Amino acid sequence: MTLIFATNNENKVKEFRSLLGDECKIITLLEAGIDIDIPEPHDTLEANAREKSVTIHRMTAQNCFAEDTGLEIAALNGAPGVLSARYAGEQKLAADNIAKVLEEMATVADRSAQFRTVISLILDGKEYQFEGISKGQISTELKGGKGFGYDPIFIPEGATRSFAEMDLTEKNQYSHRARAFKEFVAFLKTIPV
Ligand code: IMP
């Protein structure tokens, strides 16, 4: 099975491909010759993931999927959540987003948070969604230079190091995206080819 992955984020593509077996082949927007920055106008991860997959399905009429991820911090009432990419402004800069979170958390004792990923798959014109959650803690300072986004300040439950201190194989043991992807692949395996 071949699926278009409706993203321009190379890090997400890398993570998905690192988890992929023979079940399906992923084609990126770039590889599909599509140059578009799909808007994320909604107030839930579910609706934004659907917006992206439906947009690409309308353009290509091909099976495709998209995902939307948010960092949900308990002490900030679930923020940055669906606004994670733009938390510190429309430039979507990870360093600025992290600085804003650390500043808002400067005097906060409860550092619990979770990453949540929602995948929206459009298969033969029908939509299916899959969710993955990674619970953990927001560190008090940046740690590590790998990964992307908020990885340097997120320490997943069961680990002592941040996502940015882990290689991909280790991050996949804990990550929201890997967990959502597992559900997604389990579903694909039930589809007759
Ligand atoms: P989006 O799903 O591309 O809208 O991403 C939302 C925000 O969360 C962006 O700022 C991403 O950099 C960040 N983000 C998404 N996935 C991860 C992750 O696995 N680790 C750290 N940050 C992430």
Side-chain angles (χ1 to χ4, degrees):
M1 182 184 300
T2 300
L3 297 171
I4 299 176
F5 184 10
T7 187
N8 291 312
N9 184 328
E10 280 305 318
N11 289 295
K12 290 183 178 179
V13 174
K14 211 187 327 165
E15 289 195 9
F16 275 119
R17 283 195 168 142
S18 78
L19 294 161
L20 213 58
D22 301 332
E23 309 83 16
C24 74
K25 186 173 171 235
I26 287 178
I27 297 180
T28 64
L29 288 181
L30 196 68
E31 287 162 352
I34 300 168
D35 183 11
I36 177 178
D37 194 15
I38 308 167
E40 299 179 347
H42 305 291
D43 58 5
T44 64
L45 299 176
E46 284 79 2
N48 280 338
R50 183 179 304 121
E51 178 82 27
K52 292 187 264 192
S53 61
V54 167
T55 300
I56 296 306
H57 182 66
R58 271 201 211 108
M59 289 175 72
T60 64
Q62 293 197 40
N63 292 330
C64 61
F65 72 100
E67 67 98 273
D68 203 30
T69 295
L71 175 62
E72 301 170 338
I73 301 175
L76 302 181
N77 298 315
V82 73
L83 297 176
S84 292
R86 292 162 277 158
Y87 198 44
E90 286 303 322
Q91 331 82 279
K92 300 187 182 175
L93 294 176
D96 292 353
N97 290 335
I98 286 177
K100 182 169 176 184
V101 165
L102 289 183
E103 196 185 313
E104 288 177 340
M105 300 279 290
T107 58
V108 174
D110 173 11
R111 308 200 65 91
S112 56
Q114 65 178 28
F115 272 113
R116 196 162 72 85
T117 289
V118 174
I119 296 175
S120 166
L121 166 70
I122 309 275
L123 196 63
D124 299 329
K126 200 165 167 226
E127 196 215 10
Y128 305 85
Q129 290 203 343
F130 309 91
E131 182 189 62
I133 289 175
S134 175
K135 291 183 185 294
Q137 300 280 318
I138 302 297
S139 57
T140 50
E141 55 186 16
L142 282 85
K143 292 175 181 183
K146 298 177 190 151
F148 69 104
Y150 295 91
D151 278 347
I153 57 166
F154 187 81
I155 302 170
E157 219 167 72
T160 52
R161 298 182 304 150
S162 80
F163 272 159
E165 293 177 292
M166 299 179 181
D167 59 28
L168 214 46
T169 312
E170 191 181 359
K171 182 179 173 185
N172 285 341
Q173 288 172 28
Y174 302 98
S175 108
H176 42 293
R177 189 165 296 102
R179 286 173 183 163
F181 193 70
K182 254 181 222 152
E183 302 286 314
F184 169 77
V185 168
F187 172 78
L188 289 181
K189 283 184 175 161
T190 68
I191 303 291
V193 276

